[in-house]
Amino acid sequence: MGIVELKNDRIAIGVNTHGAELVSLKSNETDREYMWCGDAAYWGRVSPVLFPFVGKLENQTYRHDGVTYEGIPQHGFARDSEFVVAEQTEDTVWFELVKDEKWQKNYPFDFTLRIGYRLEGAGVHVMWTVVNTGAGKLHFSIGAHPAFACDGGVNGYSLDMHTNKSEVECGLLTGSGVLGSRTVTHSLTAGVLKLTDEMFDEDALIIDGKGINTVTLKDVSDKPVLQLKFDVPQIGIWSPAKKHAPFVCIEPWFGRCDREGYAGELEDREYSNSLESGHSFNKEYVIEAVSYTHLRAHETSLHL
């Protein structure tokens, strides 16, 4: 286990080989840390990779080819696995997880999972590659769970979803952590969702990703902090319930937890992904840190 660091003239990142988890994103100009610190009093993780499942399964079981599999943890096992550094350059690092026999009884597929990080300006491209190394079809989900620091808590922070919609409908989880039938609708002002602690009292908000490709986190002064860019079918927004936690998670997902009562096959799960033998799945999302130095320069230029 160790931290791999990358740095350019704008930002520096640290990635833990355990889980290939991004644990630090700092501005070189201000030394500002954008990621949550991982304090277990609130939540002991920072930015886990969710694979081969996103969220929980109904009764934590699934069915495939006539067999029922049990014991898969929430969000899968990649976040608790040790990765190796497969390759590294000045601005890019790739981590690799090869199927471990430890998981064979729970997840009977052969695969290679590669997680990459590439610096470009003030942004980091988070890259995912899943390769089906087995003979049959591979079924999986993959997602991100990055937590971003909010000084003093989420109250007063906001998310600009860059949409012309006046509201956003969010799915809610049940007490067992799967998607229930209830939804909640939150108003948007010029595409902006104001955050409050109370909106997470029933856990995460699950949003349809269609038409939402950029989310900007803004602070209590309405200044941009960072921006995520992605193209995903589902988005999770989360902060721990009733903890007044000083972070919010903005989560791009290719997959989702089970819907309450689901008893179908693995390959028929909503938003699941499938790969034929020898094929690969390649996706990425981008986190761009906003430098207040550059922000002020931009604001000044607008008034020239």
Side-chain angles (χ1 to χ4, degrees), residues 32 34 157-158 160 216-219 221-227 288-292 295 299:
R32 176 177 183 155
Y34 291 88
Y157 276 73
S158 61
D160 186 347
T216 302
L217 176 64
K218 294 184 174 183
D219 65 17
S221 300
D222 204 37
K223 289 188 178 296
V225 175
L226 56 86
Q227 188 170 88
E288 186 168 4
V290 175
S291 161
Y292 283 114
L295 180 63
E299 289 174 341

Side-chain angles (χ1 to χ4, degrees), residues 134-287:
K137 188 177 288 188
L138 171 66
H139 305 289
F140 67 96
S141 297
I142 191 167
H145 201 318
F148 303 109
C150 297
D151 294 341
V154 301
N155 282 324
Y157 276 73
S158 61
L159 300 178
D160 186 347
M161 297 186 176
H162 299 269
T163 175
N164 57 9
K165 295 181 179 179
S166 60
E167 60 185 28
V168 61
E169 185 179 36
C170 308
L172 297 174
L173 301 181
T174 67
S176 60
V178 294
L179 183 65
S181 58
R182 295 174 54 241
T183 63
V184 62
T185 299
H186 290 291
S187 297
L188 303 178
T189 302
V192 175
L193 173 67
K194 289 291 186 181
L195 298 180
T196 66
D197 285 325
E198 292 72 25
M199 67 172 49
F200 302 108
D201 281 353
E202 296 186 69
D203 213 301
L205 305 176
I206 300 176
I207 300 171
D208 187 338
K210 185 178 181 180
I212 301 176
N213 301 114
T214 301
V215 176
T216 302
L217 176 64
K218 294 184 174 183
D219 65 17
V220 294
S221 300
D222 204 37
K223 289 188 178 296
V225 175
L226 56 86
Q227 188 170 88
L228 273 71
K229 296 181 179 180
F230 43 67
D231 184 5
V232 294
Q234 295 276 277
I235 303 166
I237 307 296
W238 178 74
S239 193
K242 302 178 181 180
K243 285 191 175 182
H244 190 60
F247 67 87
V248 64
C249 294
I250 307 168
E251 309 176 35
W253 294 342
F254 288 93
R256 197 201 61 210
C257 62
D258 274 347
R259 190 175 292 277
E260 185 177 24
Y262 183 70
E265 291 289 305
L266 175 65
E267 64 185 39
D268 296 324
R269 294 180 69 242
E270 293 178 301
Y271 300 105
S272 184
N273 307 281
S274 297
L275 279 178
E276 298 289 348
S277 177
H279 288 217
S280 63
F281 172 97
N282 301 281
K283 298 293 182 180
E284 71 168 35
Y285 73 98
V286 181
I287 308 170

